[in-house]
Amino acid sequence: MALPPPAKDQAYCKVSAMEAGLIEIPLAIFLTEVDNPDPLTGEKDLVPSLSFLLHHSQNSKKFIFDLGIRKDFEKYPPSVVENWIKVFFPCQVPEDPVDSLVKGGYGPDDIDYICLSHLHFDHVGDPSLFPKSTFLVRAEGKPFLIPGYPADPNAGYVSDLLLLDRTQFLDTSKWPPLGPFPYTLDFYGDGSLYIIDAAGHVAGHVNLVTRTSPDRGWILLGGVSS
Ligand SMILES: [Zn+2]
């Protein structure tokens, strides 16, 4: 079940957490032991919705995992704004991943790949801010966009969220195992970054496992809120 040892001159990724908004969550939805189990009147907490930049150590490719909440979140489909953000999950987005990239000396045009863990509003951000990136989404997420909003006015997903000519819909079913993970994709083919099947939260969910050093450092990045 162990993860593989490093190779000679092992490539890895430098991982940076980026700002991607804050979301108020009712603890009763996520915890079993709370004083007031009513999600509307019970205790809440303000938590970050994170985005991660993974900078490859050798080929200089830049990869983002999740985009958090878009700044103009009132532009999410009305069903999301009215039924989720205004009722259960109030949001504030003082800075988004583009702001973080600029602070670090990069811009959205520098990003080669963007992998979305799943298509809930607090993870998809605003893909239109990244006009050159290739998007990676698990194939099971695609039906959420068809027809999507506005063709279906009650849909929770925007139909043109992703441009089909710049999106790879990932079929995880034939991916090989890695350590404890049954289905994984060695994304760069050098053992530095793996996309892993993560069924359970919602259809079309993936996580990442990436090396953070040339010796034995690893990090698991998961997007499992809401
Ligand atoms: Zn979610």
Side-chain angles (χ1 to χ4, degrees):
M1 297 293 278
L3 293 171
K8 187 173 183 294
D9 299 323
Q10 176 65 57
Y12 61 98
C13 291
K14 289 170 270 189
V15 181
S16 304
M18 301 194 291
E19 298 285 345
L22 299 161
I23 185 167
E24 200 171 289
I25 59 168
L27 295 185
I29 293 179
F30 299 94
L31 303 178
T32 54
E33 295 184 17
V34 293
D35 293 336
N36 180 352
D38 187 324
L40 291 175
T41 60
E43 187 180 355
K44 296 187 173 189
D45 204 355
L46 190 65
V47 302
S49 180
L50 290 173
S51 170
F52 295 92
L53 173 66
L54 297 91
H55 191 166
H56 193 278
S57 64
Q58 295 178 3
N59 67 21
S60 293
K61 294 288 186 185
K62 295 168 195 67
F63 184 115
I64 285 180
F65 181 61
D66 273 357
L67 290 174
I69 306 163
R70 63 185 293 165
K71 267 187 174 174
D72 49 357
F73 50 80
E74 68 278 2
K75 292 186 177 175
Y76 283 129
S79 69
V80 170
V81 175
E82 299 300 324
N83 300 328
W84 293 101
I85 294 177
K86 288 186 178 179
V87 179
F88 294 108
F89 301 109
C91 298
Q92 46 186 283
V93 188
E95 294 185 54
D96 67 6
V98 172
D99 296 323
S100 287
L101 287 172
V102 171
K103 280 184 177 178
Y106 299 123
D109 288 358
D110 297 321
I111 304 306
D112 298 285
Y113 302 103
I114 297 176
C115 179
L116 299 177
S117 64
H118 62 294
L119 298 182
H120 281 158
F121 77 90
D122 51 333
H123 296 262
V124 300
D126 183 358
S128 72
L129 299 177
F130 297 85
K132 295 183 177 177
S133 310
T134 295
F135 283 80
L136 309 165
V137 177
R138 194 169 149 185
E140 287 85 346
K142 190 174 183 180
F144 291 130
L145 308 176
I146 304 172
Y149 179 83
D152 175 0
N154 297 315
Y157 306 86
V158 178
S159 57
D160 62 354
L161 178 74
L162 301 168
L163 292 178
L164 297 184
D165 63 345
R166 281 199 290 117
T167 302
Q168 295 178 17
F169 289 97
L170 307 170
D171 177 3
T172 65
S173 63
K174 294 185 172 57
W175 289 358
L178 178 82
F181 307 110
Y183 303 102
T184 61
L185 174 65
D186 182 358
F187 186 69
Y188 291 118
D190 59 9
S192 63
L193 187 160
Y194 296 86
I195 301 175
I196 61 177
D197 179 293
H201 171 59
V202 67
H205 192 215
V206 293
N207 288 342
L208 294 189
V209 170
T210 186
R211 294 183 190 270
T212 57
S213 71
D215 43 29
R216 293 183 178 275
W218 293 91
I219 191 170
L220 168 68
L221 300 177
V224 292
S225 66
S226 76

